[in-house]
Amino acid sequence: MTTSQSRRLCDDQRQERMLPWAMLAELTHACPLRCPYCSNPLELISRSRELGTEDWTRVMAEAAALGVVHAHLSGGEPLLRADLPEIVTAADGAGIYTQLVTSGVGLSRSRLDGLAAAGLRSVQLSVQDATAERSDRIAGARSFAAKERAARLVRDAGLPFGLNVVLHRHNLDSIDEIIALSVAWGADRVELANTQFYGWALRNRGALLPTRDQLRRAEDKVAVWRARLAGEVRLVWVVPDYFEGVPKPCMGGWGAVSLTVAPDGAVLPCPGAYVLPGLEFPNVRERGLRWIWEESAAFNAYRGTAWMGDPCSTCPRRDVDFGGCRCQAYAITGRADRTDPACALSPDHHLIQTITAKSAPPEHNAPPAEPGPEQGVPTAGMGSEHGVLFAYRRHR
Amino acid sequence: MTGRRPALAASIMMRHDAVRDADLLVMPERIVVLNDQAASVVRLCDGTRTVAQIIDELTAAFPGGAVATDVPEFLDRVRAEGWLR
Ligand code: SF4
Ligand code: SF4
């Protein structure tokens, strides 16, 4: 979430007490798609372990009492939950603004009408690329036509409509077509989200990482579109932190503005935190959300600045980016309490530079030519097509 | 300009946050905390009042303030953000 520029009359939300503003509700990890950059953990939670309707109803009430204003109903594909309208009703009844985060697969007019009647406030739809052939290839499933239909339904329903496109080496060169598609589909807001390398994306990094040239060209084109669409469509460019030398203020700080509830009820400060060693994530089946937010060891582990070492502990930006991302620090350096190596000031920054320097143009990226760390790891559903080598997620 | 009847954009909700005792503008990816003055202006942007009427009402409520200049300026800024129609 961004802060207001109208500083004189509107106060910045960060000046408030430390209470969560937003909740990412991962209702299920099941999904008809198999995006190679999916942010779900490598160990997907099975449907039999998912929270029930009453659990989510209680979670929404507890979240509202704790200060949560926004709930992002996500997954996996949240439309796979038959009780989605009940969950929306519970959130809305508790005073929480809900946004559906969906692949669009399974959205029908009657389904959307039911959700809107239950109090759904906005929809964020994902699309993988600008053409059916390329989008379906990345998604690992025929889904583009369903997305196109979903976009029309959301538009017709008059709900605020955001489109999310994860960017990587295979679609950055199509950025013009992607933005044109967003305009044609009637999006109010387009999130051009450069891949963040956790979970499946980290596993598939070798096949997804763009080149610096690709990024530069795409960013120039976005700037042209932004001027052209000013006042009509908001274009949000999520920075490729591997290339910028500047870490992202991950989740607005650990346990500072947001919490994630996983399908099985585990509560995490960020959806990538599963991988971090030594943290036990409390579960809403056993603990109240307030205790989890205020007292649990997991939420206090990297809260504030006291845990920081050099160079973050004395850096003037420590209250701006909070030392970057803990999951990334762990993924790259093996230590979750290091400075995010995406930061140019990090003593480990060369590790990121080595990775980005190796990224060759897509034409030269036939699978055997660039063995990444993901190769050779035994996995279900390793798929290879059109020179793209991905480990695909598979649900048990 | 003072004949316009401002209203919140369709995608935006104004709501009171009981936990923080604050008035908020809630949008799909963003939350803005309004201070008391801002909230008192936005609350009157309901599509029925003209800007002139809003100024009159606020001047009556806060005599001695610089309502006549502050309010149009504030409304312009809020409109530029896309929060008003
Ligand atoms: S990223 Fe793709 S596979 Fe993962 S939940 Fe979203 S749509 Fe499904
Ligand atoms: S040194 Fe730490 S606090 Fe300073 S910019 Fe880098 S990550 Fe942020």
Side-chain angles (χ1 to χ4, degrees):
Chain A
M1 256 168 276
T2 43
T3 52
S4 165
Q5 282 143 25
S6 306
R7 292 303 285 261
R8 201 159 61 92
L9 286 164
C10 312
D11 300 328
D12 183 335
Q13 61 194 37
R14 290 230 180 83
Q15 291 160 7
E16 297 289 315
R17 215 146 42 98
M18 206 178 266
L19 297 171
W21 288 95
M23 174 166 72
L24 176 65
E26 290 184 340
L27 300 179
T28 179
H29 278 165
C31 185
L33 272 51
R34 300 181 300 159
C35 308
Y37 42 70
C38 183
S39 59
N40 287 168
L42 299 181
E43 276 293 316
L44 298 173
I45 289 159
S46 68
R47 300 225 60 183
S48 61
R49 287 166 59 206
E50 287 176 5
L51 294 179
T53 316
E54 309 78 57
D55 298 317
W56 278 113
T57 301
R58 182 171 45 82
V59 167
M60 291 299 170
E62 288 183 14
L66 189 56
V68 167
V69 173
H70 258 165
H72 302 272
L73 306 177
S74 181
E77 175 49 68
L79 289 168
L80 289 175
R81 293 267 323 205
D83 59 354
L84 189 56
E86 284 92 321
I87 295 171
V88 171
T89 301
D92 197 59
I96 295 178
Y97 181 106
T98 48
Q99 166 157 271
L100 177 68
V101 182
T102 179
S103 70
V105 177
L107 193 67
S108 62
R109 184 175 302 274
S110 63
R111 200 86 205 277
L112 186 60
D113 286 349
L115 292 170
L120 184 71
R121 304 288 172 169
S122 83
V123 178
Q124 190 194 79
L125 178 70
S126 67
V127 69
Q128 281 65 12
D129 204 333
T131 68
E133 196 233 328
R134 292 200 305 258
S135 183
D136 291 351
R137 190 195 306 160
I138 288 293
R142 204 173 292 259
S143 52
F144 187 82
K147 291 168 184 292
E148 195 167 18
R149 196 161 50 239
R152 203 162 42 236
L153 292 173
V154 175
R155 247 314 42 133
D156 290 352
L159 287 168
F161 170 27
L163 202 64
N164 178 286
V165 193
V166 174
L167 300 175
H168 44 79
R169 70 186 307 145
H170 304 285
N171 65 3
L172 271 163
D173 296 334
S174 321
I175 195 91
D176 277 329
E177 295 160 81
I178 289 171
I179 298 173
L181 179 92
S182 313
V183 175
W185 282 10
D188 308 307
R189 181 176 188 281
V190 187
E191 204 165 288
L192 301 163
N194 282 288
T195 307
Q196 309 290 316
F197 294 102
Y198 317 107
W200 291 89
L202 180 63
R203 178 76 119 80
N204 286 311
R205 188 175 60 196
L208 292 168
L209 200 67
T211 65
R212 199 172 285 280
D213 264 4
Q214 274 188 302
L215 282 165
R216 200 171 298 132
R217 282 197 305 271
E219 205 173 356
D220 288 350
K221 290 179 190 165
V222 171
V224 173
W225 278 98
R226 193 172 277 141
R228 199 186 305 169
L229 297 174
E232 290 165 49
V233 183
R234 260 185 80 206
L235 298 183
V236 181
W237 173 258
V238 178
V239 300
D241 61 349
Y242 267 47
F243 292 85
E244 303 270 326
V246 178
K248 56 183 172 290
C250 195
M251 303 309 284
W254 185 272
V257 295
S258 173
L259 53 89
T260 296
V261 181
D264 63 351
V267 189
L268 303 98
C270 116
Y274 296 91
V275 297
L276 298 180
L279 292 181
E280 226 176 284
F281 295 107
N283 196 295
V284 294
R285 295 189 212 254
E286 282 132 34
R287 290 287 195 166
L289 220 44
R290 179 174 299 279
W291 181 89
I292 291 172
W293 178 263
E294 290 175 353
E295 309 287 334
S296 72
F299 272 79
N300 284 298
Y302 304 107
R303 201 172 239 158
T305 54
W307 58 271
M308 289 177 178
D310 283 341
C312 294
S313 58
T314 54
C315 177
R317 283 182 53 84
R318 66 185 182 278
D319 296 312
V320 178
D321 63 29
F322 319 103
C325 172
R326 297 305 88 226
C327 307
Q328 184 143 291
Y330 176 69
I332 307 273
T333 74
R335 292 248 327 253
D337 60 355
R338 302 278 288 178
T339 295
D340 184 337
C343 177
L345 302 174
S346 156
D348 305 309
H349 188 54
H350 65 277
L351 297 173
I352 289 266
Q353 287 177 309
T354 309
I355 295 164
T356 54
K358 271 200 313 210
S359 187
E363 311 78 86
H364 306 136
N365 190 36
E370 194 180 288
E374 59 281 349
Q375 289 192 22
V377 182
T379 179
M382 189 74 113
S384 173
E385 32 175 341
H386 308 281
V388 183
L389 182 69
F390 294 131
Y392 284 119
R393 47 172 282 162
R394 191 189 62 171
H395 213 269
R396 282 162 303 156
Chain B
M1 128 106 221
T2 44
R4 217 183 293 155
R5 298 173 195 272
L8 277 182
S11 61
I12 299 181
M13 283 170 53
M14 182 170 176
R15 55 155 284 208
H16 184 72
D17 180 339
V19 175
R20 298 174 182 82
D21 190 23
D23 290 301
L24 310 177
L25 290 183
V26 187
M27 353 187 165
E29 304 289 338
R30 195 173 185 187
I31 300 164
V32 175
V33 183
L34 297 171
N35 68 20
D36 294 347
Q37 289 160 283
S40 64
V41 182
V42 174
R43 210 170 286 122
L44 297 179
C45 297
D46 60 0
T48 71
R49 295 169 168 86
T50 62
V51 173
Q53 285 169 322
I54 291 174
I55 291 172
D56 286 348
E57 282 190 41
L58 290 170
T59 309
F62 307 102
V67 171
T69 53
D70 281 3
V71 170
E73 190 195 307
F74 171 68
L75 289 178
D76 282 348
R77 264 188 298 143
V78 174
R79 180 171 296 107
E81 291 277 359
W83 303 340
L84 285 182
R85 54 190 159 89

